[in-house]
Amino acid sequence: MGQSKLILTICPSWGPELPPLGIALLKSSLNQHDIQCDLIDFNIECYNKLKHQDRIRLWDKSNLDPWLCPQRFEHEILPLLEPLIDQLVNQLIAHPAPYIGFTVLDSNVWVSNIVADRLKQHTNKVLIAGGPETTFKEPRVKISKSFDYYFVGEGEQAIVEIIRWLDSNKNKPSPQGVYSTMGELCIDRQFVQSSLNQSVVPDFSSLLLNTYVENALPIITSRSCLFKCRFCSDFKSMGTFRKLSTDHIVAILSHYYKLGYRKLWFNDLLINGVMEELCSAFEKLANNGQRFTWIALATPNKQLTSTHLNTLKSYGLQTLNLGLESGSNDVMKMMKKGFNQKYCSEALQRIFESKINTQLNIIVGFPGETEDHFLETLQFLDNHKQYISGFTSINSCIALPGSFLSDNKERYAIQFPENQDPSLWFSVDNTPEIRANRLSRLKQWIQDNHYNIYASNQAD
Ligand code: SF4
């Protein structure tokens, strides 16, 4: 491989626990085509360089508002990051790579924009934005025009085409999914999917792996989801449901094992669709003496059979994070969760009997949720306390851009305030205040029952 063509970077804020999987997958894909790429995890650099108290405050997942609100970002975060941003910009300018790619999401869009703006003043390197912030038109309008291009879709295949296209001086049409920021940003764009075989094994080699909080590596074995919950945009931002083969999973995990890792965090939206492959892969690995402990997300329905659960437990599954969202049958149905109270109750019991921990996600205030529905959720939690280990994500319902809810405002009779903030939608019987009140009472229940909360979109 020759000189580095591309730097891929992710700005704060993003989870400091594990190395970023997305850019490691892109690097792996480029490796296969002999295109050299370097990774810079600016997020972890900032996390490790800031004072302990700032780090704890700013990377608190139950209070991302200072990263999201431009005014709070400017006053509370930017002064702390200024010197580090300058260092990064100088590093990027001095680097020989002519192209720089940014993973942009709602919690790092302001830092990414500042880095892009400063780079644009001093270099003519090509700047490309990709990631969740560029997928849907509503958040995309926030990206700076200092980026030359934005990309919509999964980048593993496209990144190779983009580099070749840029290298050819753009003497042919741009690759699918690549758009100039000079054009309209607020426009629906088709999502470009990649073949999952493009990146065989994520390549973390240019990251300092000992700088992350957890001694674990991330893996993703499937894309998108089997379900289409009405409030969710995640499944849409990953194309159609696809999964890795058993052998592919074995190849990735054998590599991780050789790197010395024994702990995994699955990034799959849920593992319900890949249970057979996981059982076979972990069996093969165990036969080679390679054992892991791991955590993953799932949905509590009939797909979680006792046989699968017992097998996966024997191969190191410690915790399942379940997107319960509500304990009310009516709300589960309105959300199109794909399970009901009975399925969920039985799944919680099976998971418990398999000695796997259960973490729950809850959303309060979906359109149509009444006070009685909310009380039903509290009652459901009360009735299943013995099966619950903790709470991962406790949120007030947001009309996320790209979700069915956001795309069908008339159907749900919801309106937005003038600033279009998707968290402040309201209807005749559902307001941000009503949702905040329910969320506070849910938090009180969680506190009274001595559980922890990992993340919430409403600060205390
Ligand atoms: S909320 Fe979870 S189960 Fe529902 S569509 Fe999204 S990822 Fe799938």
Side-chain angles (χ1 to χ4, degrees), residues 44-45 55 59 68 82 94 116 184 186 203-204 206 239 245 259 264 315 331 357 388 395 409 414 420 422:
I44 200 68
E45 286 181 18
R55 177 198 302 180
W59 273 263
L68 304 177
E82 276 288 5
E184 179 64 74
C186 192
D203 182 351
F204 300 104
S206 53
S245 66
L259 289 176
L264 310 167
Y315 294 134
V331 179
N357 298 320
I388 302 169
N395 293 324
K409 300 177 189 78
I414 65 171
Q420 297 297 310

mmCIF file of all heavy atoms in Angstrom, residues 44-45 55 59 68 82 94 116 184 186 203-204 206 239 245 259 264 315 331 357 388 395 409 414 420 422:
data_model
loop_
_atom_site.group_PDB
_atom_site.id
_atom_site.type_symbol
_atom_site.label_atom_id
_atom_site.label_comp_id
_atom_site.label_asym_id
_atom_site.label_seq_id
_atom_site.Cartn_x
_atom_site.Cartn_y
_atom_site.Cartn_z
ATOM 1 N N ILE A 44 -11.971 10.310 21.645
ATOM 2 C CA ILE A 44 -11.282 9.722 22.795
ATOM 3 C C ILE A 44 -10.087 10.595 23.196
ATOM 4 O O ILE A 44 -9.741 10.673 24.377
ATOM 5 C CB ILE A 44 -10.873 8.248 22.541
ATOM 6 C CG1 ILE A 44 -10.619 7.520 23.860
ATOM 7 C CG2 ILE A 44 -9.653 8.118 21.644
ATOM 8 C CD1 ILE A 44 -11.821 7.311 24.701
ATOM 9 N N GLU A 45 -9.478 11.266 22.210
ATOM 10 C CA GLU A 45 -8.370 12.169 22.558
ATOM 11 C C GLU A 45 -8.873 13.281 23.478
ATOM 12 O O GLU A 45 -8.251 13.603 24.487
ATOM 13 C CB GLU A 45 -7.755 12.774 21.296
ATOM 14 C CG GLU A 45 -6.916 11.766 20.520
ATOM 15 C CD GLU A 45 -6.281 12.377 19.275
ATOM 16 O OE1 GLU A 45 -6.198 13.612 19.180
ATOM 17 O OE2 GLU A 45 -5.872 11.584 18.400
ATOM 18 N N ARG A 55 -14.641 15.778 32.047
ATOM 19 C CA ARG A 55 -14.883 14.539 31.303
ATOM 20 C C ARG A 55 -16.155 13.844 31.818
ATOM 21 O O ARG A 55 -17.013 13.445 31.053
ATOM 22 C CB ARG A 55 -13.650 13.658 31.534
ATOM 23 C CG ARG A 55 -13.697 12.331 30.938
ATOM 24 C CD ARG A 55 -12.672 11.447 31.571
ATOM 25 N NE ARG A 55 -11.313 11.954 31.466
ATOM 26 C CZ ARG A 55 -10.273 11.314 31.975
ATOM 27 N NH1 ARG A 55 -10.435 10.170 32.607
ATOM 28 N NH2 ARG A 55 -9.065 11.811 31.862
ATOM 29 N N TRP A 59 -19.371 13.852 29.257
ATOM 30 C CA TRP A 59 -19.691 12.560 28.615
ATOM 31 C C TRP A 59 -20.769 11.813 29.395
ATOM 32 O O TRP A 59 -20.865 10.609 29.308
ATOM 33 C CB TRP A 59 -18.427 11.713 28.445
ATOM 34 C CG TRP A 59 -17.709 12.012 27.162
ATOM 35 C CD1 TRP A 59 -17.811 11.309 25.974
ATOM 36 C CD2 TRP A 59 -16.794 13.074 26.897
ATOM 37 N NE1 TRP A 59 -17.029 11.880 25.004
ATOM 38 C CE2 TRP A 59 -16.388 12.974 25.545
ATOM 39 C CE3 TRP A 59 -16.280 14.125 27.650
ATOM 40 C CZ2 TRP A 59 -15.489 13.850 24.954
ATOM 41 C CZ3 TRP A 59 -15.396 15.009 27.063
ATOM 42 C CH2 TRP A 59 -15.009 14.861 25.736
ATOM 43 N N LEU A 68 -25.866 19.271 22.135
ATOM 44 C CA LEU A 68 -26.906 19.373 21.109
ATOM 45 C C LEU A 68 -27.344 20.820 20.876
ATOM 46 O O LEU A 68 -27.611 21.218 19.749
ATOM 47 C CB LEU A 68 -28.134 18.545 21.516
ATOM 48 C CG LEU A 68 -27.886 17.061 21.812
ATOM 49 C CD1 LEU A 68 -29.171 16.377 22.273
ATOM 50 C CD2 LEU A 68 -27.340 16.348 20.583
ATOM 51 N N GLU A 82 -11.284 24.289 22.566
ATOM 52 C CA GLU A 82 -10.570 25.148 21.602
ATOM 53 C C GLU A 82 -9.127 24.692 21.319
ATOM 54 O O GLU A 82 -8.761 24.463 20.166
ATOM 55 C CB GLU A 82 -10.570 26.599 22.069
ATOM 56 C CG GLU A 82 -11.807 27.379 21.715
ATOM 57 C CD GLU A 82 -11.923 27.719 20.238
ATOM 58 O OE1 GLU A 82 -11.085 27.270 19.440
ATOM 59 O OE2 GLU A 82 -12.890 28.410 19.893
ATOM 60 N N ALA A 94 -1.198 18.944 8.343
ATOM 61 C CA ALA A 94 0.168 18.428 8.108
ATOM 62 C C ALA A 94 0.165 17.015 7.528
ATOM 63 O O ALA A 94 1.150 16.577 6.941
ATOM 64 C CB ALA A 94 0.940 18.433 9.434
ATOM 65 N N ALA A 116 -14.195 21.379 10.289
ATOM 66 C CA ALA A 116 -14.291 21.527 8.822
ATOM 67 C C ALA A 116 -14.092 22.988 8.411
ATOM 68 O O ALA A 116 -13.360 23.287 7.460
ATOM 69 C CB ALA A 116 -15.642 21.010 8.339
ATOM 70 N N GLU A 184 -28.840 21.461 -2.551
ATOM 71 C CA GLU A 184 -29.838 21.481 -1.485
ATOM 72 C C GLU A 184 -29.519 20.413 -0.437
ATOM 73 O O GLU A 184 -29.262 19.258 -0.775
ATOM 74 C CB GLU A 184 -31.207 21.207 -2.131
ATOM 75 C CG GLU A 184 -32.382 21.152 -1.192
ATOM 76 C CD GLU A 184 -32.644 22.466 -0.497
ATOM 77 O OE1 GLU A 184 -33.147 23.395 -1.144
ATOM 78 O OE2 GLU A 184 -32.319 22.534 0.696
ATOM 79 N N CYS A 186 -31.603 19.982 2.398
ATOM 80 C CA CYS A 186 -32.871 19.516 2.959
ATOM 81 C C CYS A 186 -33.718 18.837 1.881
ATOM 82 O O CYS A 186 -34.711 19.376 1.411
ATOM 83 C CB CYS A 186 -33.620 20.688 3.579
ATOM 84 S SG CYS A 186 -35.002 20.135 4.576
ATOM 85 N N ASP A 203 -10.825 -3.059 11.221
ATOM 86 C CA ASP A 203 -9.392 -2.825 11.425
ATOM 87 C C ASP A 203 -9.199 -1.638 12.384
ATOM 88 O O ASP A 203 -9.361 -0.481 12.000
ATOM 89 C CB ASP A 203 -8.734 -2.534 10.067
ATOM 90 C CG ASP A 203 -7.235 -2.329 10.199
ATOM 91 O OD1 ASP A 203 -6.738 -2.242 11.355
ATOM 92 O OD2 ASP A 203 -6.554 -2.252 9.166
ATOM 93 N N PHE A 204 -8.847 -1.950 13.635
ATOM 94 C CA PHE A 204 -8.632 -0.909 14.644
ATOM 95 C C PHE A 204 -7.159 -0.543 14.755
ATOM 96 O O PHE A 204 -6.761 0.131 15.713
ATOM 97 C CB PHE A 204 -9.098 -1.410 16.027
ATOM 98 C CG PHE A 204 -10.552 -1.782 16.101
ATOM 99 C CD1 PHE A 204 -10.952 -3.114 16.114
ATOM 100 C CD2 PHE A 204 -11.537 -0.806 16.168
ATOM 101 C CE1 PHE A 204 -12.292 -3.462 16.194
ATOM 102 C CE2 PHE A 204 -12.884 -1.141 16.249
ATOM 103 C CZ PHE A 204 -13.255 -2.472 16.255
ATOM 104 N N SER A 206 -4.959 1.476 13.609
ATOM 105 C CA SER A 206 -4.335 2.786 13.812
ATOM 106 C C SER A 206 -4.935 3.542 14.995
ATOM 107 O O SER A 206 -4.736 4.746 15.146
ATOM 108 C CB SER A 206 -4.349 3.630 12.528
ATOM 109 O OG SER A 206 -5.628 3.717 11.991
ATOM 110 N N GLY A 239 -30.635 0.532 6.106
ATOM 111 C CA GLY A 239 -31.106 -0.202 4.931
ATOM 112 C C GLY A 239 -32.004 -1.361 5.312
ATOM 113 O O GLY A 239 -32.788 -1.279 6.246
ATOM 114 N N SER A 245 -22.578 -14.337 7.948
ATOM 115 C CA SER A 245 -22.606 -15.796 8.065
ATOM 116 C C SER A 245 -21.883 -16.201 9.353
ATOM 117 O O SER A 245 -21.117 -15.410 9.937
ATOM 118 C CB SER A 245 -21.890 -16.422 6.871
ATOM 119 O OG SER A 245 -20.519 -16.079 6.949
ATOM 120 N N LEU A 259 -6.133 -10.483 19.333
ATOM 121 C CA LEU A 259 -5.724 -9.157 19.835
ATOM 122 C C LEU A 259 -5.722 -9.119 21.367
ATOM 123 O O LEU A 259 -5.285 -8.137 21.964
ATOM 124 C CB LEU A 259 -6.682 -8.069 19.330
ATOM 125 C CG LEU A 259 -6.627 -7.699 17.844
ATOM 126 C CD1 LEU A 259 -7.722 -6.674 17.521
ATOM 127 C CD2 LEU A 259 -5.268 -7.146 17.450
ATOM 128 N N LEU A 264 -17.029 -8.453 24.592
ATOM 129 C CA LEU A 264 -17.629 -7.893 23.377
ATOM 130 C C LEU A 264 -18.875 -7.086 23.718
ATOM 131 O O LEU A 264 -19.617 -7.461 24.621
ATOM 132 C CB LEU A 264 -18.080 -9.022 22.435
ATOM 133 C CG LEU A 264 -17.078 -10.118 22.120
ATOM 134 C CD1 LEU A 264 -17.799 -11.284 21.450
ATOM 135 C CD2 LEU A 264 -15.984 -9.560 21.204
ATOM 136 N N TYR A 315 -22.186 -19.651 26.234
ATOM 137 C CA TYR A 315 -21.095 -19.055 25.456
ATOM 138 C C TYR A 315 -20.868 -17.588 25.832
ATOM 139 O O TYR A 315 -20.411 -16.788 25.018
ATOM 140 C CB TYR A 315 -21.379 -19.175 23.958
ATOM 141 C CG TYR A 315 -21.366 -20.608 23.481
ATOM 142 C CD1 TYR A 315 -22.373 -21.099 22.651
ATOM 143 C CD2 TYR A 315 -20.352 -21.484 23.857
ATOM 144 C CE1 TYR A 315 -22.370 -22.417 22.218
ATOM 145 C CE2 TYR A 315 -20.342 -22.806 23.432
ATOM 146 C CZ TYR A 315 -21.355 -23.261 22.623
ATOM 147 O OH TYR A 315 -21.346 -24.568 22.201
ATOM 148 N N VAL A 331 -50.166 0.451 23.971
ATOM 149 C CA VAL A 331 -49.046 1.267 23.471
ATOM 150 C C VAL A 331 -48.074 0.395 22.662
ATOM 151 O O VAL A 331 -47.564 0.820 21.624
ATOM 152 C CB VAL A 331 -48.330 1.997 24.635
ATOM 153 C CG1 VAL A 331 -47.158 2.816 24.111
ATOM 154 C CG2 VAL A 331 -49.299 2.891 25.384
ATOM 155 N N ASN A 357 -28.734 -11.393 32.547
ATOM 156 C CA ASN A 357 -29.262 -10.138 33.085
ATOM 157 C C ASN A 357 -30.150 -9.435 32.065
ATOM 158 O O ASN A 357 -29.898 -9.524 30.860
ATOM 159 C CB ASN A 357 -28.125 -9.171 33.442
ATOM 160 C CG ASN A 357 -27.222 -9.728 34.511
ATOM 161 O OD1 ASN A 357 -27.693 -10.341 35.460
ATOM 162 N ND2 ASN A 357 -25.926 -9.533 34.348
ATOM 163 N N ILE A 388 -35.786 -7.975 36.375
ATOM 164 C CA ILE A 388 -35.124 -6.776 35.819
ATOM 165 C C ILE A 388 -33.812 -6.487 36.562
ATOM 166 O O ILE A 388 -33.794 -6.440 37.788
ATOM 167 C CB ILE A 388 -36.060 -5.537 35.930
ATOM 168 C CG1 ILE A 388 -37.377 -5.797 35.191
ATOM 169 C CG2 ILE A 388 -35.382 -4.292 35.355
ATOM 170 C CD1 ILE A 388 -38.451 -4.747 35.478
ATOM 171 N N ASN A 395 -36.405 7.348 28.093
ATOM 172 C CA ASN A 395 -36.560 8.547 27.278
ATOM 173 C C ASN A 395 -37.997 9.019 27.164
ATOM 174 O O ASN A 395 -38.929 8.225 27.203
ATOM 175 C CB ASN A 395 -36.026 8.294 25.865
ATOM 176 C CG ASN A 395 -34.532 8.091 25.852
ATOM 177 O OD1 ASN A 395 -33.805 8.723 26.618
ATOM 178 N ND2 ASN A 395 -34.070 7.197 25.012
ATOM 179 N N LYS A 409 -47.078 13.191 10.655
ATOM 180 C CA LYS A 409 -47.546 14.100 11.715
ATOM 181 C C LYS A 409 -49.061 14.266 11.700
ATOM 182 O O LYS A 409 -49.702 14.301 12.745
ATOM 183 C CB LYS A 409 -46.896 15.475 11.527
ATOM 184 C CG LYS A 409 -45.387 15.443 11.601
ATOM 185 C CD LYS A 409 -44.803 16.821 11.332
ATOM 186 C CE LYS A 409 -43.303 16.776 11.178
ATOM 187 N NZ LYS A 409 -42.823 16.291 9.881
ATOM 188 N N ILE A 414 -50.022 15.522 15.489
ATOM 189 C CA ILE A 414 -49.021 16.194 16.316
ATOM 190 C C ILE A 414 -48.486 17.421 15.566
ATOM 191 O O ILE A 414 -48.464 17.461 14.333
ATOM 192 C CB ILE A 414 -47.854 15.257 16.727
ATOM 193 C CG1 ILE A 414 -47.039 14.795 15.512
ATOM 194 C CG2 ILE A 414 -48.379 14.068 17.508
ATOM 195 C CD1 ILE A 414 -45.757 14.050 15.892
ATOM 196 N N GLN A 420 -39.063 23.786 15.344
ATOM 197 C CA GLN A 420 -39.105 22.430 14.783
ATOM 198 C C GLN A 420 -38.371 21.387 15.634
ATOM 199 O O GLN A 420 -38.040 20.309 15.153
ATOM 200 C CB GLN A 420 -38.517 22.408 13.354
ATOM 201 C CG GLN A 420 -39.268 23.223 12.343
ATOM 202 C CD GLN A 420 -40.701 22.713 12.129
ATOM 203 O OE1 GLN A 420 -40.920 21.543 11.909
ATOM 204 N NE2 GLN A 420 -41.670 23.615 12.246
ATOM 205 N N PRO A 422 -37.676 18.333 17.438
ATOM 206 C CA PRO A 422 -38.489 17.104 17.419
ATOM 207 C C PRO A 422 -38.817 16.568 18.802
ATOM 208 O O PRO A 422 -39.648 15.683 18.938
ATOM 209 C CB PRO A 422 -37.604 16.106 16.649
ATOM 210 C CG PRO A 422 -36.219 16.623 16.769
ATOM 211 C CD PRO A 422 -36.320 18.116 16.896
#
